[in-house]
Amino acid sequence: MTAAFDLHADGAPPADPLDLARSWLPADDDPDRPQVVLSTVGEDGCPDARTVLLSGVDGSGFAFHTSRGSRKVAQLAAVPRASMTVLWPGFTRQLVLRGPVVAEEAGPLTRAWSARSDHLRRLAWLNTDELAAQDLAARRLGWAADVPVDAGSTPAPSWVGFRLRPVELTFWAGGADTASRRLRYVRQDDGWRWQHLAG
Ligand SMILES: Cc1cc2nc3c(=O)[nH]c(=O)nc-3n(C[C@H](O)[C@H](O)[C@H](O)COP(=O)(O)O)c2cc1C
């Protein structure tokens, strides 16, 4: 059995890092989504970062969803690579991913939309720079605006999804009674190589 603060049970770690990631993270249908820091390369070459929700994890990558007109989408169009830092649960485990990012296809996008809360779906329809520039009373009025009746099943046109397909995953675990440590997996032509590192 794996102690809550350790990387994995004693012995060799799982051969596939996605198996370890899935054992660390909540199931995709758990409404308690991890908040992750998504780092991209700015158009000026300077790193950029922001928090997003991790929508889910499967063989095609680590999914997140956002607004088509956002800065991160423009940055990913120019440099389709990113890093994700997942701190989950807080203070005991961290997972850092690096790799290419691809746009999500229509099927998974619609499923992810249906799993979003009403509040987050409303945000995707209504959250604009124009609304953000108004005073509080006007923003409350704007928030009360109608959204399309099929809003529960049809993603807002502005809503897009991406998947980070990691080529490197670094798991970190720390506890009070021994040193923190890391486990880094790097993808090779013939599978994954892993190595334990100081934390
Ligand atoms: C806890 C938290 C969760 C967030 N989740 C998302 C999200 O899932 N998708 C998203 O586009 N923005 C999310 N945001 C807002 C982003 O951090 C960011 O402000 C926005 O996406 C614009 O980023 P950009 O201009 O760098 O593209 C979240 C912010 C916080 C604080």
Side-chain angles (χ1 to χ4, degrees), residues 29-158:
D29 60 0
D30 186 333
D32 194 11
R33 302 314 308 156
Q35 295 150 22
V36 309
V37 175
L38 174 74
S39 302
T40 46
V41 181
E43 286 168 6
D44 58 359
C46 185
D48 200 1
R50 77 291 290 156
T51 307
V52 295
L53 300 179
L54 180 65
S55 304
V57 182
D58 63 23
S60 64
F62 289 68
F64 60 92
H65 293 86
T66 189
S67 172
R68 191 184 302 280
S70 67
R71 190 157 89 165
K72 69 180 88 50
V73 172
Q75 292 169 344
L76 287 169
V79 181
R81 292 186 291 280
S83 165
M84 230 183 221
T85 305
V86 188
L87 191 62
W88 182 273
F91 301 107
T92 58
R93 284 176 165 174
Q94 172 186 254
L95 169 58
V96 180
L97 316 165
R98 301 173 68 234
V101 175
V102 296
E104 189 173 58
E105 290 173 8
L109 185 78
T110 303
R111 283 195 292 281
W113 174 262
S114 300
R116 281 286 211 251
S117 68
D118 286 346
H119 180 89
L120 291 176
R121 286 197 291 255
R122 179 165 280 272
L123 256 184
W125 278 102
L126 299 175
N127 207 4
T128 61
D129 290 342
E130 291 69 33
L131 185 65
Q134 294 174 25
D135 63 25
L136 180 59
R139 281 183 287 122
R140 283 182 169 148
L141 264 182
W143 185 249
D146 286 340
V147 294
V149 284
D150 60 351
S153 56
T154 306
S158 66

Side-chain angles (χ1 to χ4, degrees), residues 15 17 98 166-171 183-195 197:
R98 301 173 68 234
V167 294
E168 181 184 289
L169 302 90
T170 305
F171 297 80
L183 172 64
R184 175 167 294 153
Y185 291 84
V186 179
R187 189 195 286 279
Q188 310 281 313
D189 289 344
D190 58 349
W192 293 95
R193 293 275 187 281
W194 56 262
Q195 181 188 11
L197 300 161

